[in-house]
Amino acid sequence: MSKVIIGEKEYFKGVKKIQFEGRKSDNPLAFKWYDPKRKVGGKSMKSHFKFAMAYWHTLCNTGEDPFGPGTKVYPWATATDPVQQAKDKMDAAFEFMSKMGLEYFCFHDVDLIDEGDSFKEFGKRLDKITDYGLQKMKGNNIKVLWGTANLFSNPRYMNGAATNPDFNVVAYAGAQVKNALDATIKLGGENYVFWGGREGYMSLLNTKMGKELDNLAQFLHMAKDYARKRGFKGYFFIEPKPMEPSKHQYDFDAATCLNFLRQYDLMDDFKLNLEVNHATLAQHTMQHEMQVAADANALGSLDANRGDYQNGWDTDQFPVDLYELTEMMLVFLEVKGFKGGGINFDAKTRRNSTDLEDIFYAHIGGMDNFARALVIADDIMRNSDYKKLRKARYSTFDRGQGKQFAQGKLKLTDLYKYTQKNGEPKQTSGRQELFENLINQYI
Ligand code: XUL
Ligand code: CO
């Protein structure tokens, strides 16, 4: 994709299409590492990653926090007519993506257009903005990585959406999901996400957890059946997060989500959309979450960001830590990528980053860091002893009784007999520091 898509107004006037200029360039508006066509492990960087813009952070979030209002003045948010405002925002979105070389975006229904004051009005508005979206998508490569419904901001969802104790709210949420699925399908969306915003509890004293989980599963089955009937072929993703806004979120982490999907027979259609900052909130590393998902054939997609290492909050900052990203890319390459998804920058510029260019710097940094980490991880996989060292650690399972154990051919009494002969095992180092050094060596 080379075309820049400008609507009636150009919003990012000082910025041309971001080009790959290599690591010697000191142009802050150029890629140093992300070269979309460069092949890594036989596949272009562009197709490895499928980078996506998050509509909500990039175009809607003005930087408000609990201590003060937004600081960012967006020129696409000035029209008083909500449909015009949504079209301006979409023009800005397409201009931004085309200048960045981002071929995907992700959205919540309410990001596309303000919902107005009735369910019917919201439906009509969604129809209009998705008509406009279809028009904007014609003749270029910009696609929808996933759509979703915001079932957590409106006060009606304060006690949850699909897990609300009141059927009337559950039904409203279902109706909203129907429209969001329709919008996603209409725009050719490749996947659909359920992040359980307020699906959890604040106090167990007023909560029937089992009933709420049964209802959630029922709800997801209904949504999946509806979309499949409409011909939707993509995956559904659920997005683990342990807390915030609820004290306890039902989709706590990857393992909890997988248990839920297995219990309610949803594994075939649902994969996971993992987010770095959610992993760290659950006191896991992101690579841990990725491995858990991948081992269950459920690594669907990533929401890229980072938290704050000191206070642990869900700060949704852009990724910068190359060492951490390299560890993630080692898992990514080993499991051969995602099931249907890509890398969505669920990240926002800081409240005091108020220039429009800051949004470009943020995404350039994120894409460059992923690209560099991918190159390093590929180098480690192909040229270092990394795989050999790990294989050697488990080599006792490749022969003799170890092999028979792995094949399920031994009984507990066989282990008893073996140990009577073998005695105390020889001490074997885990050599963690040796493994850790490999990453710095290849950076
Ligand atoms: C919230 C979060 C959401 C989901 C989509 O922490 O990550 O933006 O990704 O609803
Ligand atoms: Co997210």
Side-chain angles (χ1 to χ4, degrees):
M1 181 188 63
S2 53
K3 215 172 66 177
V4 163
I5 307 164
I6 301 196
E8 258 171 46
K9 255 193 252 160
E10 184 171 3
Y11 289 104
F12 305 97
K13 270 216 173 95
V15 185
K16 299 201 182 65
K17 187 169 163 57
I18 308 299
Q19 307 284 352
F20 169 73
E21 292 184 7
R23 69 181 305 188
K24 294 227 169 75
S25 164
D26 53 14
N27 175 4
L29 288 169
F31 293 118
K32 317 295 182 300
W33 288 91
Y34 179 63
D35 179 0
K37 292 199 202 96
R38 175 168 172 186
K39 290 255 163 81
V40 180
K43 216 169 140 181
S44 73
M45 281 189 171
K46 189 173 88 169
S47 49
H48 268 294
F49 291 131
K50 288 165 75 177
F51 283 127
M53 175 199 77
Y55 221 92
W56 53 103
H57 286 311
T58 307
L59 300 140
C60 311
N61 183 295
T62 58
E64 63 277 4
D65 71 10
F67 306 95
T71 51
K72 299 166 200 239
V73 184
Y74 290 142
W76 51 84
T78 54
T80 44
D81 172 53
V83 178
Q84 189 55 49
Q85 197 187 114
K87 286 182 175 175
D88 292 347
K89 184 161 44 166
M90 196 169 267
D91 283 352
F94 276 73
E95 183 189 330
F96 175 74
M97 288 185 280
S98 62
K99 285 185 168 173
M100 275 304 310
L102 287 163
E103 295 196 351
Y104 286 92
F105 65 101
C106 301
F107 68 87
H108 300 87
D109 47 3
V110 301
D111 304 332
L112 296 183
I113 194 157
D114 185 81
E115 59 186 311
D117 47 21
S118 74
F119 182 73
K120 280 192 186 143
E121 174 61 21
F122 190 23
K124 278 191 214 147
R125 288 185 183 187
L126 267 180
D127 282 343
K128 285 189 191 146
I129 195 61
T130 46
D131 282 346
Y132 191 65
L134 272 185
Q135 217 176 295
K136 294 282 308 181
M137 288 163 91
K138 235 178 242 157
N140 57 62
N141 290 334
I142 293 184
K143 300 171 279 284
V144 172
L145 188 65
W146 49 262
T148 187
N150 178 327
L151 303 178
F152 43 89
S153 297
N154 192 295
R156 88 173 65 86
Y157 296 124
M158 66 179 188
N159 290 307
T163 62
N164 198 291
D166 178 358
F167 171 69
N168 295 288
V169 181
V170 176
Y172 201 109
Q176 198 182 325
V177 165
K178 179 203 169 287
N179 282 350
L181 279 165
D182 287 342
T184 305
I185 292 169
K186 180 168 163 185
L187 295 176
E190 296 187 6
N191 307 279
Y192 186 88
V193 161
F194 293 90
W195 169 57
R198 291 183 197 273
E199 315 295 19
Y201 65 80
M202 300 307 285
S203 166
L204 204 47
L205 290 173
N206 65 2
T207 303
K208 283 190 166 191
M209 192 176 350
K211 186 168 183 57
E212 293 197 1
L213 285 168
D214 287 350
N215 286 351
L216 176 59
Q218 190 68 49
F219 188 94
L220 295 179
H221 269 286
M222 288 164 81
K224 180 243 326 164
D225 291 345
Y226 172 76
R228 292 287 182 241
K229 222 177 203 159
R230 285 220 43 203
F232 178 68
K233 298 268 188 307
Y235 284 118
F236 302 90
F237 299 143
I238 55 175
E239 185 176 326
K241 185 176 185 182
M243 64 193 82
E244 212 186 294
S246 303
K247 171 193 161 49
H248 177 95
Q249 306 265 138
Y250 292 138
D251 297 333
F252 193 95
D253 61 0
T256 311
C257 285
L258 290 169
N259 182 55
F260 171 84
L261 294 177
R262 286 197 186 101
Q263 182 179 348
Y264 291 102
D265 193 21
L266 289 160
M267 281 295 282
D268 290 342
D269 298 274
F270 283 74
K271 306 288 167 199
L272 303 185
N273 179 39
L274 300 173
E275 179 163 325
V276 181
N277 209 162
H278 298 178
T280 47
L281 275 177
Q283 305 202 349
H284 296 307
T285 60
M286 183 61 165
Q287 52 273 28
H288 167 92
E289 290 291 83
M290 289 171 70
Q291 191 69 59
V292 170
D295 287 344
N297 196 29
L299 181 62
S301 204
L302 293 194
D303 272 6
N305 57 24
R306 76 179 201 275
D308 183 286
Y309 294 121
Q310 279 68 48
N311 62 25
W313 293 339
D314 190 15
T315 52
D316 286 347
Q317 297 174 80
F318 276 82
V320 291
D321 187 333
L322 193 54
Y323 195 101
E324 181 180 70
L325 286 162
T326 304
E327 288 200 54
M328 282 161 55
M329 288 301 101
L330 283 172
V331 179
F332 177 77
L333 284 174
E334 192 158 49
V335 303
K336 302 199 165 36
F338 301 124
K339 296 271 167 282
I343 293 182
N344 166 48
F345 286 107
D346 195 351
K348 57 188 176 225
T349 54
R350 297 302 83 194
R351 186 170 183 265
N352 57 348
S353 297
T354 47
D355 293 341
L356 291 182
E357 282 82 8
D358 291 324
I359 314 173
F360 284 88
Y361 300 143
H363 284 83
I364 290 170
M367 291 158 82
D368 264 347
N369 273 308
F370 266 98
R372 189 170 180 185
L374 183 76
V375 170
I376 298 162
D378 177 61
D379 201 8
I380 292 173
M381 289 292 229
R382 280 186 303 109
N383 300 320
S384 78
D385 281 345
Y386 175 64
K387 285 210 269 189
K388 221 167 75 191
L389 285 166
R390 270 200 325 179
K391 193 171 172 356
R393 247 193 123 202
Y394 295 88
S395 58
T396 51
F397 291 98
D398 297 337
R399 55 178 185 261
Q401 299 228 23
K403 190 169 179 181
Q404 287 182 309
F405 169 88
Q407 291 167 337
K409 289 181 183 159
L410 296 189
K411 294 204 247 354
L412 195 66
T413 45
D414 295 322
L415 303 186
Y416 176 79
K417 277 185 222 149
Y418 182 87
T419 298
Q420 274 200 323
K421 238 201 263 159
N422 198 46
E424 185 62 30
K426 204 172 111 242
Q427 194 178 52
T428 314
S429 171
R431 301 203 260 182
Q432 182 177 325
E433 296 77 10
L434 177 75
F435 281 87
E436 287 170 345
N437 289 353
L438 275 179
I439 292 187
N440 275 330
Q441 187 190 332
Y442 280 81
I443 279 179

